[in-house]
């Protein structure tokens, strides 16, 4: 609440600081010093005058009063006082000059002491000034930080909008390209099948049959590649939601093992299937099978004959961890860091017969993320690769699955 002593500027709404209000006022210490200095100077002058007149035996200046004169200029003095004044000699000019000089010197010294005390700051006022300066510096620094944060937030928002726009453009481009190319590919594959079966007559030369077979296999390969690209685009864009059904993890693991059993045997590899866990997940069964299958395809693809692949799972109270380990060629740290980007395995270093576009890990990562889980990869050159997928479990799903 405002004090009743607020100035007119306060009443008009203008803020008047304490420093402005106290400007022009002497500190209490300065006033006390000035009073003591001038009082001491006055006492010194009185003492000096009394001592000088007593030593010289001269009368005070006012004692030399002429008693002569008549009329209005005459001064009437009482007889007893006139006798007392006449007992002293007239005051000497040198004595009066000395008293005046010493008195002026004492008053000058008192004024000097007063000015010195007035120039000294009150400790409380100095502390207030220092705190005010620190507060203003802190406010200026805080304002600069807020302005910098505002600029950073604006830049972050702009960059985020650009990134989202670029991601949408990439998604739309891949979706349109995949759709536009899949349609003519279906026609090419269909016509190749008609020619392969010689539906409308003999082809003639036997080499045509090999050409038709190459056209058909190449078209199917391209069709599968574009279908994979379209699936990744839909998964990353949230256009392909996954189901949330109770799923038995052991059943999924056995299904994947049966699917790759023949391929692993033909490649001269050994498959090790871990012990059952009895865990029940809530998710999309086909999506989980595809997630584990993509990792298994890479394991088979990059493991030489005589190696082994291990498919196992470990259950805990709040989730499960699925591990796919192989003794393949492994990856360096640089290659491992690039796996977060699509088409990471589509270069000459990892090209094998029948290799795909390198989207298996990206699709598996997207499925794991949409299922509420996380995927981690550990690998070393010539030692193999281990992919761990953590997924949450729901105790209530076990009752539904039973």
């Amino acid at each position: 609440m405002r004090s009743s002593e607020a100035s007119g500027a306060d009443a008009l709404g203008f803020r008047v600081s304490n420093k402005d209000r106290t400007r022009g006022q002497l500190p209490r210490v300065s006033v006390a010093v000035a009073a003591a200095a001038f009082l001491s100077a006055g006492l010194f002058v009185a003492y000096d005058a009394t001592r000088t007149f007593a030593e010289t035996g001269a009368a005070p200046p006012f004692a030399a009063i002429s008693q002569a004169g008549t009329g209005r200029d005459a001064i009437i003095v009482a007889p007893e006082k006139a006798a007392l004044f006449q007992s002293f000699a007239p005051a000497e000019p040198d004595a009066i000059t000395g008293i005046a000089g010493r008195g002026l010197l004492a008053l000058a010294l008192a004024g000097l002491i007063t000015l010195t005390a007035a120039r000294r700051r009150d400790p409380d006022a100095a502390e207030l000034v220092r705190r005010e300066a620190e507060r203003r510096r802190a406010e200026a620094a805080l304002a600069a930080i807020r302005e910098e944060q505002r600029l950073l937030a604006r830049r972050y928002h702009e960059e985020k909008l650009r990134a989202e726009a670029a991601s949408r453009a990439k998604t739309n481009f891949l979706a349109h390209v995949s759709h536009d190319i899949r349609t003519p590919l279906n026609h090419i594959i269909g016509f190749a099948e008609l020619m392969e079966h010689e539906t409308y007559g003999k082809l003639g030369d036997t080499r045509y049959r090999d050409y038709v077979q190459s056209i058909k296999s190449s078209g199917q390969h391209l069709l599968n590649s574009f279908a994979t690209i379209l699936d990744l685009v839909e998964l990353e864009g949230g256009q392909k939601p996954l189901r949330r059904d109770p799923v038995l993890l052991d059943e999924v693991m056995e299904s994947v093992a049966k699917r790759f059993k023949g391929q692993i045997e033909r490649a001269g590899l050994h498959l090790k299937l871990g012990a059952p866990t009895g865990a029940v997940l809530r998710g999309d069964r086909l999506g989980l099978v595809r997630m584990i299958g993509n990792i298994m395809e890479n394991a088979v693809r990059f493991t030489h004959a005589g190696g082994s692949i291990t498919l196992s799972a470990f259950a805990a109270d709040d989730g499960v961890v699925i591990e796919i380990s192989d003794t393949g060629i492994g990856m360096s740290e640089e290659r491992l860091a690039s796996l977060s980007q699509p088409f990471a395995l589509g270069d000459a270093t990892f090209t094998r017969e029948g290799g795909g576009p390198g989207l298996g890990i990206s699709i598996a990562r997207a499925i794991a993320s949409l299922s509420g889980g996380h995927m981690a990869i550990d690998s070393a050159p010539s030692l193999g690769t281990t992919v761990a997928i953590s997924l949450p479990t729901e105790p209530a799903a076990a009752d539904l699955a039973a």
Side-chain angles (χ1 to χ4, degrees):
M1 184 175 66
R2 295 194 176 190
S3 172
S4 58
E5 297 177 359
S7 63
D10 288 334
L12 292 175
F14 297 97
R15 182 178 179 183
V16 181
S17 62
N18 294 329
K19 182 178 178 181
D20 296 334
R21 291 177 178 175
T22 58
R23 184 177 297 173
Q25 298 180 3
L26 293 176
R28 296 181 180 179
V29 176
S30 300
V31 175
V33 171
F38 281 99
L39 179 60
S40 299
L43 293 176
F44 172 77
V45 172
Y47 174 76
D48 183 57
T50 303
R51 183 177 179 180
T52 300
F53 291 141
E55 291 178 354
T56 58
F62 55 81
I65 302 176
S66 176
Q67 300 185 24
T70 58
R72 62 176 60 179
D73 295 333
I75 298 176
I76 300 175
V77 182
E80 59 276 8
K81 293 183 179 181
L84 179 62
F85 290 157
Q86 291 176 0
S87 63
F88 294 95
E92 297 180 0
D94 294 338
I96 296 175
T97 303
I99 294 172
R102 288 189 293 273
L104 291 176
L105 182 61
L107 292 176
L109 182 60
L112 180 61
I113 294 174
T114 301
L115 292 177
T116 303
R119 292 179 64 88
R120 294 181 60 188
R121 294 181 178 179
D122 191 356
D124 296 337
E127 181 67 18
L128 291 177
V129 171
R130 184 183 65 81
R131 292 181 180 179
E132 179 68 16
E134 291 180 355
R135 184 186 65 81
R136 291 183 178 180
R137 285 195 297 268
E139 289 181 352
L142 183 60
I145 292 174
R146 288 177 177 174
E147 180 66 18
E148 185 177 0
Q149 290 179 346
R150 187 184 66 82
L151 293 177
L152 290 177
R154 182 177 179 179
R155 293 175 184 173
Y156 168 77
H157 183 66
E158 292 176 353
E159 294 297 331
K160 181 181 178 182
L161 292 179
R162 292 193 187 100
E164 291 177 351
S167 179
R168 287 193 299 267
K170 178 202 71 173
T171 301
N172 294 332
F173 171 76
L174 292 176
H176 286 298
V177 168
S178 299
H179 182 270
D180 293 341
I181 294 180
R182 288 173 66 184
T183 302
L185 278 176
N186 288 326
H187 291 84
I188 293 173
I189 295 172
F191 293 144
E193 289 180 350
L194 289 175
M195 296 173 66
E196 182 182 12
H197 292 88
E198 299 180 348
T199 305
Y200 300 107
K202 298 293 183 179
L203 294 178
D205 197 324
T206 56
R207 288 176 296 183
Y208 291 150
R209 186 179 299 274
D210 296 334
Y211 297 158
V212 170
Q213 183 63 32
S214 298
I215 293 173
K216 179 182 176 181
S217 60
S218 299
Q220 289 177 344
H221 178 73
L222 287 177
L223 187 63
N224 294 332
S225 298
F226 282 109
T228 303
I229 294 174
L230 186 60
D231 289 341
L232 177 61
V233 170
E234 292 177 348
L235 287 172
E236 290 184 344
Q239 303 173 2
K240 191 174 183 179
L242 300 179
R243 298 173 60 91
R244 304 291 296 175
D245 300 329
V247 179
L248 295 175
L249 179 60
D250 296 335
E251 184 180 310
V252 172
M253 302 283 282
E254 292 176 359
S255 175
V256 174
K258 290 180 180 179
R259 173 187 170 187
F260 286 91
K261 183 178 179 180
Q263 185 178 353
I264 291 175
E265 291 178 352
R266 289 191 298 269
L269 305 175
H270 302 282
L271 176 62
K272 299 178 182 179
L273 184 62
T277 60
V280 178
L281 308 177
R282 183 178 289 276
D284 192 319
R285 185 182 183 281
L286 295 178
L288 295 176
V289 170
R290 185 177 185 183
M291 175 186 67
I292 302 175
N294 288 348
I295 306 300
M296 288 289 294
E297 286 180 358
N298 287 330
V300 174
R301 180 182 176 188
F302 300 115
T303 303
H304 297 293
S308 62
I309 299 175
T310 303
L311 177 61
S312 58
F314 306 92
D317 294 337
D318 56 349
V320 295
V321 176
I322 304 172
E323 284 190 359
I324 302 96
S325 302
D326 62 67
T327 58
I329 61 177
M331 291 176 287
S332 62
E333 294 183 359
E334 292 78 10
R335 174 57 54 186
L336 193 61
S338 65
L339 289 181
S340 59
Q341 299 296 329
F343 308 99
L345 301 181
D347 59 357
T349 305
F350 291 90
T351 300
R352 296 271 309 264
E353 185 68 23
L359 298 179
I361 293 180
S362 298
I363 292 178
R365 191 189 302 274
I367 294 175
S369 178
L370 292 176
S371 301
H374 178 72
M375 186 176 71
I377 304 175
D378 184 19
S379 181
S382 303
L383 295 180
T385 304
T386 299
V387 179
I389 304 172
S390 61
L391 296 173
T393 57
E394 295 185 9
D399 299 333
L400 295 176

